[in-house]
């Protein structure tokens, strides 16, 4: 294997301040896992990090967004219980809502801080790392030569060119929105992916006037048209959404009351020119990996036109036969925490060759959850992927949650589940769903695919009555029926209220 650092000049070699077996750049989820694993084998490991020594999930991602959603769900339930005969009015304290988000975030971060504080000081470097032309890591006043390098520099919100200047202080991203001292009066959210959809609905439920924009007539990146249409149907009653809109200009201006207001000039889906005006614009147009300015090209790493590393092993994060590993959000493969965790663990293990602690985790099957209400999940192969494979004979098992027993009892009866079954193997290929308890149904199907369980195996497990999970059984039985599998078609169990 080629080593990442090769000092060709004597004067460059003489400037090296430290030589290590492994250098990890970035201390998020992937970097921390890699550091722990590599430290089992080597004493001379160093981890370099710029900014906070915690994870994206805790600081600006999964946890603060779920804290906001938790408050939003409480408010929504309190304000929408008249069908149960419960009449009440609520008062939302925006400052307290946002303060709890930050307080609980700090609580979660304290566990990471305690762990990082336990690491030896000589193995931690706070600073900006850059890889020079000799493949050496420049950070602060140090020049480090590493036999193996693990890059785990994470990602940052993508902001279209010029928007930061045009929007000024009215611009928010997922990195800054949780620093608001109070709930805004009005908010535009640009982007209906997982981040935009979750935050738009949460702020709406907390009393903010929210408008959601998206270039495509899709939400949450759904690729199954029926599931996408159902998701839009379920969400449109709660959210003002301009799907299929084209944004021509953004900016901010002074109002007649000498306040600053943001504005968006756009064409709606019918091609009509419109303008939105409000307090803030939350740009949720995706995230981009933090790798372009790092200097990885000096290690022999090639990037594509979207700054994704070429020749990437999706199993270990290794780049070709180089002693270079790019893991987590930095490789832009699947930017999810559980994937980053596994990749960091595997990369840290790869450098521990012949060590009993080394274990390479197999790549997890694709699995994503959007924590809006109703929830959206995708598991395994998508419908377009299946349709593009000429060798696959498949069926689509379906169930609507609009009249599913427990869902109707709970007043959450809006949803649709599609399960894609393989006729040749009697296995689940993938699934897509919008509906109640989707996160749990998704985990069951992910377990089934991971462990190669058949449709028969799944139907042999008990489904307690009455539960929302009975909808999963209905969809599985539909798969079974369409496959013409000659066993256990229990139609007598359907709608057994």
């Amino acid at each position: 294997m080629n080593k990442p650092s090769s000092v060709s000049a004597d004067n460059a070699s003489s400037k090296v301040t430290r030589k290590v077996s492994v250098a990890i750049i970035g201390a998020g989820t992937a970097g921390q896992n890699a550091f722990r694993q590599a430290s089992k084998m080597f004493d001379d490991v160093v981890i370099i990090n710029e900014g906070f020594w915690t994870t994206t999930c805790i600081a600006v991602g999964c946890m603060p967004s779920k804290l906001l959603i938790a408050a939003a769900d409480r408010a929504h339930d309190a304000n929408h219980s008249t069908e149960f005969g419960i009449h009440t009015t609520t008062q939302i304290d925006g400052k307290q809502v946002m303060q709890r988000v930050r307080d609980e975030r700090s609580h979660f971060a304290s566990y990471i801080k305690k762990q990082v504080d336990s690491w030896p000081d000589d193995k931690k470097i706070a600073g900006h790392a850059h890889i020079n032309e000799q493949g050496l890591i420049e950070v602060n006043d140090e020049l480090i030569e590493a036999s193996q390098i693990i890059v785990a520099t994470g990602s940052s919100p993508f902001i279209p060119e010029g928007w930061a200047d045009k929007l000024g202080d009215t611009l928010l991203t997922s990195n800054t929105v949780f620093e608001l001292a109070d709930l805004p009066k009005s908010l535009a959210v640009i982007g209906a992916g997982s981040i935009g959809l979750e935050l738009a609905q949460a702020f709406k439920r907390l009393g903010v006037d929210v408008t959601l924009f998206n270039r495509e007539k899709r939400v949450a990146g759904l690729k199954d048209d029926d599931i996408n249409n159902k998701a839009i149907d379920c969400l449109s009653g709660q959210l003002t959404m301009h799907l299929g809109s084209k944004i021509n200009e953004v900016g901010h201006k002074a109002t007649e009351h000498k306040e600053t207001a943001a504005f968006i000039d756009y064409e709606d889906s019918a091609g009509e020119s419109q303008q939105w005006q409000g307090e803030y614009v939350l740009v949720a147009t995706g995230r981009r990996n933090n790798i372009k300015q790092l200097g990885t090209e000096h290690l022999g790493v090639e990037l594509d036109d979207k700054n994704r590393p070429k020749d990437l092993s999706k199993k270990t994060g290794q780049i070709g036969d180089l002693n270079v590993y790019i893991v987590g959000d930095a490789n832009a493969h699947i930017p999810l925490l559980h994937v980053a965790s596994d990749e960091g663990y595997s990369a840290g293990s790869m450098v521990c060759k012949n060590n009993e602690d080394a274990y390479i985790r197999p790549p997890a099957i694709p699995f994503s959850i959007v924590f809006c209400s109703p929830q959206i999940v995708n598991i395994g192969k998508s419908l377009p992927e299946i349709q593009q494979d000429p060798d696959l004979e498949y069926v689509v098992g379906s169930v609507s949650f609009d009249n599913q027993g427990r869902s109707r009892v709970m007043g959450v009866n809006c949803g649709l589940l599609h399960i894609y079954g393989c006729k040749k193997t009697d296995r689940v290929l993938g699934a897509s769903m919008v509906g109640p308890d989707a996160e749990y149904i998704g985990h069951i199907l992910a377990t089934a695919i991971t462990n190669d369980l058949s449709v028969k195996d799944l139907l042999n497990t008990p489904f307690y009555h009455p539960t929302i999970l009975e909808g999963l059984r209905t969809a599985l039985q539909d798969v079974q029926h369409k496959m013409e599998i000659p066993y256990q078609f229990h139609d007598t169990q359907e709608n057994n209220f």
Side-chain angles (χ1 to χ4, degrees), residues 262-303:
F263 70 85
I264 299 172
D265 290 332
Y266 67 98
E267 292 179 16
D268 60 23
S269 59
E272 298 292 329
S273 295
Q274 307 283 355
Q275 185 180 82
W276 172 92
Q277 184 173 305
E279 191 173 359
Y280 289 104
V281 174
L282 172 60
V283 179
T285 50
R287 296 179 68 91
R288 300 291 186 271
N289 59 341
N290 300 323
I291 197 173
K292 188 175 182 180
Q293 306 303 322
L294 185 60
T296 53
E297 69 273 12
H298 298 137
L299 301 175
V301 177
E302 294 183 41
L303 304 179

Side-chain angles (χ1 to χ4, degrees), residues 168-189:
D169 292 339
T170 67
L171 169 68
L172 295 172
T173 70
S174 56
N175 277 13
T176 62
V177 67
F178 304 113
E179 307 311 316
L180 289 174
D182 199 350
L183 294 170
K185 294 180 179 64
S186 57
L187 177 70
V189 178

